[in-house]
């Protein structure tokens, strides 16, 4: 429910700022509280008086306002909200956000917030299409910033094309979507994904065929249920989910360090295909072909990240899920693996080439828990992810037994 939720509304300096007045009215009609912030440029387009009258609240404009700071510091202002909305998001403000600049109240609030941010870009079509703007947009998407619009149409400057700000009704819908509560709201879930790369020398490495598809789908499904997701990924083919907190690593040892740094978590799902070994003493310089013969590689065992986390005595996530990619005797091997590693659930699958699962769009899994084994039908990877995310939510919320005994 959006009613009763707090929106911090940042109005930036563009001609579309006038639509912010209509937006405030609509948000309030739906029972939301709106705290407005105007940039200096925004005040050229709408007055603090009209914004304040519609919001029914004081308008904030200045980073160095002593009274404001005494009543509620700007950090607090950015945290008291449930959602931060930027209307219109100008090219200038988007550039500041992408670079992490904080030189006025609006940009400082955007840096200081720990809440989701929704932006409604609006600008001239050529500015929108400029590579610099698109670069900044990609950075913002990567940071998990949500966007609504822009629409295509005739603009105030007389040109036609994409760049016109989304209509207030569409922005309200996006706000309600961003505020939607899910069964995993307030939960932190850690997901590992992708392969690892283990260097031989600065230009060569040992890798595997994992695409990262199942881990990414799972992170998306967990995000859809409202979880905060830390996504620790090796160099995968599939791009990471934009709404997750993404930590990119290369080697298994880096992955373990990133996983430990991301704890505590309510649940951890280890979908990465981690290399079992790394090359000892990887060469600092490219290994050269020599007349003297072939190079010899020696290996050392990588840390088992799943087992390390499962067997922690302190700070073990209440639910730890591993994957088991097997090519024969799937259930038998995966059942033994669950006990050996000490995790709660194992999602087992048959990755023998005939199944087409590794790198494919579908997966046929068996869920193995303390109480028994459950075979799922062959499904698209996104559907496997949705079912698994729903199971995780039910277990964390105490609706089902974590061990699988009661459901
Ligand atoms: O032992 P195996 O590689 O078959 O185990 C698979 C499970 O263990 C997966 O969940 C994988 O992410 C995890 N794993 C790990 N660290 C390793 C090896 C595997 O987290 N070094």
């Amino acid at each position: 429910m959006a009613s009763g939720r707090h929106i911090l509304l940042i109005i930036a300096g563009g001609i579309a700022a006038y639509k912010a007045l209509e937006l405030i009215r609509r948000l309030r009609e739906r029972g939301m509280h709106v705290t407005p912030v105007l940039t200096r440029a925004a005040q050229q387009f709408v007055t603090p008086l009209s914004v304040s009258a519609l919001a029914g609240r004081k308008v904030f404009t200045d980073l160095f306002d002593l009274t404001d700071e005494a009543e509620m510091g700007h950090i607090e202002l950015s945290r008291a909200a449930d959602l931060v909305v930027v209307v219109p998001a100008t090219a200038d403000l988007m550039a500041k956000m992408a670079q992490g600049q904080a030189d006025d109240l609006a940009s400082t609030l955007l840096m200081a917030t720990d809440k989701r941010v929704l932006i409604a870009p609006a600008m001239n079509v050529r500015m929108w299409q400029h590579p610099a703007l698109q670069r900044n947009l990609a950075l913002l998407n990567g940071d998990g910033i949500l966007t609504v619009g822009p629409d295509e149409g005739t603009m105030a400057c007389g040109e036609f094309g994409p760049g016109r700000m989304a209509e207030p009704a569409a922005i309200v819908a996006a706000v309600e979507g961003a505020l939607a509560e899910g069964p995993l709201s307030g939960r932190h879930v850690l997901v590992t994904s992708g392969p690892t790369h283990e260097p031989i020398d600065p230009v060569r490495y040992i890798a595997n065929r994992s695409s990262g598809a199942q881990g990414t789908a799972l992170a998306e499904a967990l995000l859809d249920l409202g979880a905060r997701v830390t996504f620790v990924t090796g160099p995968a083919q599939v791009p990471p989910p934009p709404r997750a907190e993404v930590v990119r690593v290369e080697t298994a040892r880096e992955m373990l360090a990133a996983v430990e740094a991301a704890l505590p978590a309510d649940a951890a799902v280890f979908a990465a295909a981690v290399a079992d070994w790394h090359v000892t003493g990887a060469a600092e310089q490219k290994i050269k072909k020599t007349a003297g013969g072939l190079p010899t590689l020696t290996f050392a065992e990588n840390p088992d990240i799943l087992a390390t986390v499962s067997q922690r005595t302190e700070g073990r996530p209440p639910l730890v899920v591993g994957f088991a990619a097997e090519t024969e005797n799937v259930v038998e091997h995966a059942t033994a693996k669950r006990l050996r590693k000490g995790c709660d659930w194992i999602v087992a699958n048959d990755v023998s080439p005939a199944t087409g699962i590794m790198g494919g769009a579908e997966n046929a899994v068996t869920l193995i828990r303390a109480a028994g084994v459950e075979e799922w039908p062959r499904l698209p990877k996104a559907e496997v992810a949705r079912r698994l995310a729903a199971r995780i939510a039910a277990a964390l919320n105490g609706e089902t037994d974590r061990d699988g005994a009661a459901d």
Side-chain angles (χ1 to χ4, degrees), residues 63-326:
L63 184 57
F64 301 110
D65 185 312
L66 263 185
T67 322
D68 290 352
E69 208 53 33
E71 285 169 2
M72 185 196 252
H74 57 260
I75 301 279
E76 184 52 32
L77 193 59
S78 74
R79 305 238 165 123
D82 295 303
L83 181 71
V84 181
V85 181
V86 184
V87 168
T90 58
D92 178 59
L93 187 50
M94 286 172 67
K96 277 187 178 170
M97 290 172 73
Q99 297 307 317
Q101 277 183 33
D103 61 357
D104 64 1
L105 181 61
S107 53
T108 304
L109 291 172
L110 286 160
M111 278 290 281
T113 191
D114 57 354
K115 299 294 158 39
R116 298 179 88 183
V117 176
L118 171 72
I119 64 173
M123 65 200 68
N124 167 276
V125 57
R126 288 182 211 290
M127 291 172 79
W128 176 253
Q129 288 167 344
H130 196 284
L133 186 287
Q134 291 297 320
R135 216 164 36 233
N136 289 334
L137 180 65
L139 286 173
L140 295 175
N141 286 339
D143 288 347
I145 305 277
L146 307 169
T147 51
V148 51
D151 293 344
E152 199 168 277
T154 314
M155 282 179 276
C157 54
E159 288 191 66
F160 184 88
R164 201 168 78 168
M165 192 169 85
E167 290 304 320
I171 300 175
V172 170
V175 166
E176 287 178 332
L179 286 173
E181 291 272 337
L184 287 174
S185 294
R187 305 283 195 172
H188 177 215
V189 184
L190 172 68
V191 177
T192 70
S193 184
T196 62
H197 284 183
E198 307 294 337
I200 296 170
D201 67 17
V203 297
R204 303 183 181 96
Y205 56 82
I206 293 172
N208 62 66
R209 295 186 196 282
S210 165
S211 64
Q214 188 62 79
T216 301
L218 187 63
E220 295 279 8
L222 292 162
L223 287 157
D224 287 344
L225 298 186
R228 176 167 80 81
V229 174
T230 303
F231 188 73
V232 179
T233 179
Q237 288 161 26
V238 175
R243 293 170 292 159
E245 287 158 41
V246 179
V247 185
R248 292 173 200 272
V249 297
E250 288 216 350
T251 66
R253 288 162 291 167
E254 287 167 9
M255 187 173 272
L256 175 62
V259 161
E260 292 194 316
L263 294 175
D266 295 289
V269 186
F270 294 87
V274 184
D276 290 318
W277 312 283
H278 64 266
V279 178
T280 48
E284 304 243 324
Q285 305 298 331
K286 186 179 170 196
I287 301 171
K288 293 283 185 202
K289 263 191 281 187
T290 54
L294 299 172
T296 307
L297 298 181
T298 54
F299 292 93
E301 213 168 308
N302 270 333
D304 189 317
I305 306 165
L306 171 62
T308 306
V309 172
S310 296
Q311 291 162 25
R312 274 170 83 108
T313 43
E314 263 177 53
R316 180 193 192 275
L319 181 64
V320 179
V321 182
F323 276 69
E326 306 288 347

